[in-house]
């Protein structure tokens, strides 16, 4: 018996940490792009929950081949303390199972997102460290065009 593929999974469905996660990340697959909607501010615990939810979601999908990408739309705030960005970096650097790593990641972060300009260099550094193409865009259309050009 195969497990049904969830259409959307959220960090709110994961109880993986001792402390309460701050922030929320929902994810779903759409046209070969793993979409994230991340509402901050964030703490390290939400990134731990995100890693669990993401792995559960990706391994529940029917096997797929080919290139895929991810887009994260940030809402409300991009702010997170130093230990949270350090945890995000560790998670992003950890090995991924075959076919479960995107070829590119875009963040959609409009000017209304609190702390966007402060956090942008931190996120850019994470993706430079893992050598994954990364771009911060102000619109979903821009992000989609960019990731599809790399798929």
């Amino acid at each position: 018996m195969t497990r049904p593929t969830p259409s959307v999974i959220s960090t709110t469905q994961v109880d993986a940490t001792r402390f309460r996660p701050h922030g929320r990340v929902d994810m779903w697959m759409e046209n070969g792009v793993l979409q994230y909607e991340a509402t901050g501010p964030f703490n390290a615990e939400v990134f731990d929950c995100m890693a669990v939810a993401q792995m559960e979601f990706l391994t529940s999908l029917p096997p797929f081949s080919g290139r895929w990408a991810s887009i994260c739309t940030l809402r409300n705030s991009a702010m997170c303390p130093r230990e949270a960005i350090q945890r995000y970096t560790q998670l992003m650097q950890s090995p991924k199972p075959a076919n479960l790593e995107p070829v590119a990641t875009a963040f959609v972060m409009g000017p209304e997102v609190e702390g966007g300009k402060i956090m942008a260099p931190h996120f850019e550094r994470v993706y430079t460290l893992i050598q994954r193409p990364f771009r911060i865009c102000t619109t979903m259309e821009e992000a989609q065009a960019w990731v599809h050009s790399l798929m």
Side-chain angles (χ1 to χ4, degrees):
M1 182 173 177
T2 57
R3 290 188 305 171
T5 303
S7 55
V8 176
I9 195 163
S10 175
T11 55
T12 61
Q13 297 168 287
V14 175
D15 187 20
T17 62
R18 232 175 56 183
F19 299 106
R20 189 172 75 79
H22 294 272
R24 175 185 176 135
V25 182
D26 299 328
M27 58 195 85
W28 65 95
M29 188 66 81
E30 187 176 293
N31 299 321
V33 176
L34 182 58
Q35 299 281 344
Y36 296 85
E37 183 170 88
T39 305
F42 308 101
N43 65 1
E45 288 76 14
V46 79
F47 293 133
D48 287 332
C49 291
M50 182 188 74
V52 171
Q54 176 183 347
M55 189 56 63
E56 182 179 317
F57 181 76
L58 289 173
T59 57
S60 74
L61 295 174
F64 57 94
S65 59
R67 298 163 64 89
W68 61 281
S70 60
I71 297 174
C72 177
T73 303
L74 285 140
R75 305 268 186 228
N76 191 45
S77 174
M79 295 301 292
C80 56
R82 177 175 298 141
E83 60 271 6
I85 199 72
Q86 289 170 342
R87 184 65 184 136
Y88 185 70
T89 302
Q90 291 169 344
L91 291 167
M92 294 303 293
Q93 289 178 312
S94 66
K96 309 293 186 279
N99 295 329
L100 295 185
E101 188 159 359
V103 297
T105 296
F107 278 19
V108 177
M109 192 162 43
E112 74 285 356
V113 176
E114 176 192 32
K117 289 183 186 210
I118 294 168
M119 295 308 299
H122 297 284
F123 291 122
E124 289 166 344
R125 184 183 62 77
V126 170
Y127 288 92
T128 298
L129 283 171
I130 65 169
Q131 299 178 342
R132 183 186 306 163
F134 176 73
R135 181 175 287 182
I136 295 176
C137 305
T138 56
T139 67
M140 177 58 78
E141 294 75 19
E142 179 188 357
Q144 288 175 332
W146 183 72
V147 298
H148 283 290
S149 75
L150 297 174
M151 293 169 52

